[in-house]
Amino acid sequence: GENVEQHPSTLSVQEGDSAVIKCTYSDSASNYFPWYKQELGKRPQLIIDIRSNVGEKKDQRIAVTLNKTAKHFSLHITETQPEDSAVYFCAASSGGGADGLTFGKGTHLIIQP
Amino acid sequence: EAGVVQSPRYKIIEKKQPVAFWCNPISGHNTLYWYLQNLGQGPELLIRYENEEAVDDSQLPKDRFSAERLKGVDSTLKIQPAELGDSAVYLCASSVGMNTEAFFGQGTRLTVV
């Protein structure tokens, strides 16, 4: 089945700096890669997603890149703000494959004032 | 739009007792997921439904866990008997279909004592 590895587990950056979180996946059939943000005690919420026919996608301060050959994708947050502090999860799906949506273990992003 | 609704929000039970969780997905969403989330970890898939059919239940401990999605709408997840290690947050999510945004409910925090 699909296996998603996420690094780092904890990331601390100064406010205003950029943050990068990286994920790798194992199933070459995976073609949908969402990123979720989860604040303490709350539900995971989608912040951006990318499909395998696209190499990069941006939404204001957030961007995601995908390298299908290497089977890795990354989340980039620029000009970080205190409200960006949360746990971020990457996920991968093959769209009807047996594994459904498989999540990484998460990255705790800490924005230092 | 109420979003994905789960109940109860919290449940404390003694070990060996049964427990049930209920999920009402967003109207029109064909895909429904049950995930288990331990503290500091990513969601782990228990079962995925496409309409009323369970298409992926390979991670569901079938000796004690069961689930149903009658008429392809609401779903219940049951544990009988509960064990101490079942303490976790149980998340329900729904989406229009595979490879589309999955919306999560608030989750049910289960504590087995």
Side-chain angles (χ1 to χ4, degrees):
Chain A
E2 175 65 275
N3 182 46
V4 177
E5 299 283 343
Q6 183 172 348
H7 300 280
S9 57
T10 303
L11 178 60
S12 181
V13 301
Q14 290 291 321
E15 182 179 350
D17 288 350
S18 295
V20 180
I21 302 170
K22 299 181 179 181
C23 289
T24 60
Y25 61 98
S26 61
D27 187 354
S28 57
S30 288
N31 54 17
Y32 175 63
F33 307 93
W35 286 87
Y36 283 80
K37 176 182 180 182
Q38 188 175 29
E39 298 177 352
L40 188 64
K42 296 189 176 182
R43 72 187 81 189
Q45 291 191 297
L46 182 78
I47 55 172
I48 195 168
D49 57 10
I50 190 168
R51 301 180 189 281
S52 59
N53 58 345
V54 176
E56 182 176 0
K57 183 177 179 180
K58 294 183 73 173
D59 183 4
Q60 299 183 345
R61 297 186 297 109
I62 295 173
V64 57
T65 59
L66 172 64
N67 183 326
K68 283 195 67 179
T69 302
K71 288 191 279 189
H72 68 69
F73 55 114
S74 300
L75 177 72
H76 305 252
I77 305 174
T78 59
E79 302 173 14
T80 52
Q81 302 170 2
E83 55 265 36
D84 295 329
S85 293
V87 179
Y88 292 80
F89 296 100
C90 62
S93 170
S94 60
D99 291 339
L101 192 59
T102 302
F103 284 82
K105 293 188 181 299
T107 296
H108 185 193
L109 177 62
I110 302 167
I111 307 301
Q112 303 276 8
Chain B
E1 182 68 77
V4 177
V5 179
Q6 289 187 247
S7 68
R9 286 293 311 279
Y10 305 93
K11 189 74 176 180
I12 301 174
I13 62 170
E14 294 183 344
K15 62 182 180 183
K16 300 184 181 179
Q17 293 301 306
V19 64
F21 314 126
W22 176 79
C23 174
N24 178 229
I26 293 173
S27 177
H29 281 196
N30 297 322
T31 303
L32 184 145
Y33 306 84
W34 281 103
Y35 283 93
L36 177 155
Q37 187 175 29
N38 287 304
L39 188 64
Q41 300 293 314
E44 299 172 29
L45 183 68
L46 290 172
I47 190 168
R48 172 169 64 95
Y49 283 92
E50 295 294 337
N51 297 302
E52 65 275 10
E53 182 183 0
V55 296
D56 179 14
D57 62 355
S58 58
Q59 302 302 314
L60 192 71
K62 297 180 184 64
D63 57 335
R64 298 184 301 107
F65 286 64
S66 65
E68 61 181 8
R69 189 184 185 194
L70 298 176
K71 300 181 181 180
V73 182
D74 293 1
S75 178
T76 56
L77 178 68
K78 298 178 181 178
I79 308 175
Q80 182 172 10
E83 297 178 352
L84 295 176
D86 296 331
S87 295
V89 175
Y90 291 82
L91 291 165
C92 178
S94 71
S95 64
V96 172
M98 284 300 298
N99 285 7
T100 60
E101 180 178 358
F103 293 83
F104 283 85
Q106 290 276 38
T108 296
R109 182 178 296 278
L110 174 67
T111 303
V112 182
V113 296

